[in-house]
Amino acid sequence: MSTTTIAPAIAQRKKMTMLAFRQKKERGEPLTMLTAYDYPTALALDQAGIDSILVGDSLAMVELGYENTLPVTMEEMLHHARAVARGAKSALLIGDLPFMSYQVSIEEALRNAGRFIQQANMDAVKLEGGRERAETVRAIVGAGIPVMGHLGLTPQSIHQLGGFRPQGKTASAAVRLLEDAQILEEAGAFALVLESIPARLASAISKKISIPTIGIGAGAGCDGQVLVTHDLLGLFERFTPKFVKRYANLHETMRKAFTEYIDDVETKKFPALEHTVEMTDAEWDAFLNETK
Ligand code: KIV
């Protein structure tokens, strides 16, 4: 008897589109987004009914172990984006343009945005920055590629910002952020991530622009919410930002499972009979005869 288990088929949802994204804002329905960097996570998120999956450059920190997001390359992002696209068929898939993939020139930005669509089956790209990126956003959108903006705490500018710290806390910084949001909307961005800014500012921005805002550490007044999945699952043990709600402690679950496995192997409890392949006595006797 085979002990192989096969997961039951789950009915596939309709593919989330840019239009449906916008309509959810218009109907006042919260948008849900989480990050993924691999096939099994993308599959689970898709089956759970997530609206959108971001293949974020947070990959650098939570999956590849770097100190910040700066070292991750376009090739690494594409590699992980392809795995995500193989797992998620319904969620809107967004590839995060990594540091230096769009800042050098508009031509390079266009080429790299195109690679996410052509080589990794993403539906859209995300990039960080405000007014200084307006022309880049316009060019990518002009090529038919939807762009999500990212304002507030923009980790690719960590050295300029002086660390992972909240943004937009003074009146003048808040005005600038609102202007940036309006400029990005005008440049054609289909949505904006607002990261680590005061809740009432995020709420005001969300009301003043017609494209959806997706908040992370930006309060409940945004049109949707995003978290880094490893933070939500308790898989990233280095630090947990204040704005994260933990839904599991998978680091601990993994550590416990690995310890049990090591113990089972060392005490010969694993593999047991049910994990073992057998052959008939007749075949075994024939083998013994042939190898005498
Ligand atoms: O890279 C990322 O995961 C992100 C989210 C924090 C929005 O940009």
Side-chain angles (χ1 to χ4, degrees):
M1 192 187 77
S2 164
T3 53
T4 309
T5 50
I6 297 170
I10 293 181
Q12 203 174 305
R13 291 177 294 137
K14 254 174 67 181
K15 174 77 185 169
M16 174 58 80
T17 62
M18 238 59 63
L19 181 65
F21 219 66
R22 175 80 163 248
Q23 286 168 340
K24 280 195 92 168
K25 171 169 178 140
E26 285 161 6
R27 289 196 299 268
E29 293 171 17
L31 284 151
T32 57
M33 180 158 107
L34 283 168
T35 63
Y37 322 98
D38 58 45
Y39 170 84
T41 310
L43 186 68
L45 284 172
D46 212 43
Q47 291 181 352
I50 200 86
D51 288 323
S52 178
I53 296 176
L54 172 68
V55 185
D57 64 354
S58 48
L59 162 71
M61 297 174 72
V62 301
E63 197 63 27
L64 304 181
Y66 290 116
E67 280 300 307
N68 55 47
T69 61
L70 304 182
V72 75
T73 65
M74 194 62 209
E75 295 308 325
E76 288 168 328
M77 291 300 298
L78 287 169
H79 173 80
H80 286 266
R82 284 187 205 108
V84 167
R86 287 192 284 270
K89 300 298 170 207
S90 302
L92 187 77
L93 302 181
I94 303 169
D96 205 3
L97 284 162
F99 183 55
M100 282 299 121
S101 69
Y102 60 95
Q103 290 93 339
V104 175
S105 71
I106 290 184
E107 282 75 13
E108 265 191 58
L110 256 178
R111 199 165 294 117
N112 285 321
R115 293 184 75 194
F116 266 129
I117 309 297
Q118 228 171 13
Q119 299 172 17
N121 275 320
M122 295 289 101
D123 302 309
V125 298
K126 175 170 88 58
L127 55 78
E128 297 182 5
R131 62 199 71 199
E132 71 283 7
R133 296 288 158 236
E135 283 320 304
T136 306
V137 171
R138 212 182 299 282
I140 299 174
V141 173
I145 301 170
V147 177
M148 173 177 267
H150 184 157
L151 292 172
L153 171 51
T154 46
Q156 290 177 20
S157 309
I158 184 178
H159 296 310
Q160 203 167 39
L161 300 178
F164 292 102
R165 56 182 69 233
Q167 300 296 309
K169 288 178 76 170
T170 63
S172 60
V175 168
R176 195 174 164 85
L177 269 177
L178 170 60
E179 286 172 1
D180 279 341
Q182 289 166 328
I183 289 167
L184 289 175
E185 173 173 28
E186 201 271 325
F190 77 93
L192 296 182
V193 165
L194 299 178
E195 179 165 355
S196 208
I197 66 171
R200 51 183 149 180
L201 172 60
S203 181
I205 292 174
S206 305
K207 290 196 182 87
K208 282 184 190 288
I209 61 176
S210 53
I211 57 174
T213 60
I214 312 292
I216 174 164
C222 295
D223 302 307
Q225 297 293 326
V226 60
L227 282 178
V228 170
T229 293
H230 285 49
D231 289 337
L232 167 156
L233 292 177
L235 254 180
F236 184 61
E237 72 323 320
R238 221 155 67 209
F239 64 91
T240 307
K242 166 180 152 55
F243 53 73
V244 168
K245 180 171 175 186
R246 263 203 184 183
Y247 290 82
N249 189 349
L250 289 199
H251 177 76
E252 189 50 31
T253 306
M254 276 167 62
R255 208 187 49 75
K256 199 161 162 283
F258 299 150
T259 310
E260 277 176 35
Y261 167 78
I262 292 165
D263 188 60
D264 276 0
V265 172
E266 286 176 351
T267 58
K268 296 190 180 288
K269 277 194 224 128
F270 177 82
L273 223 51
E274 67 266 31
H275 310 120
T276 310
V277 174
E278 258 315 341
M279 65 199 288
T280 62
D281 288 347
E283 292 297 335
W284 180 242
D285 289 342
F287 166 78
L288 290 179
N289 271 336
E290 273 179 47
T291 54
K292 256 204 294 237

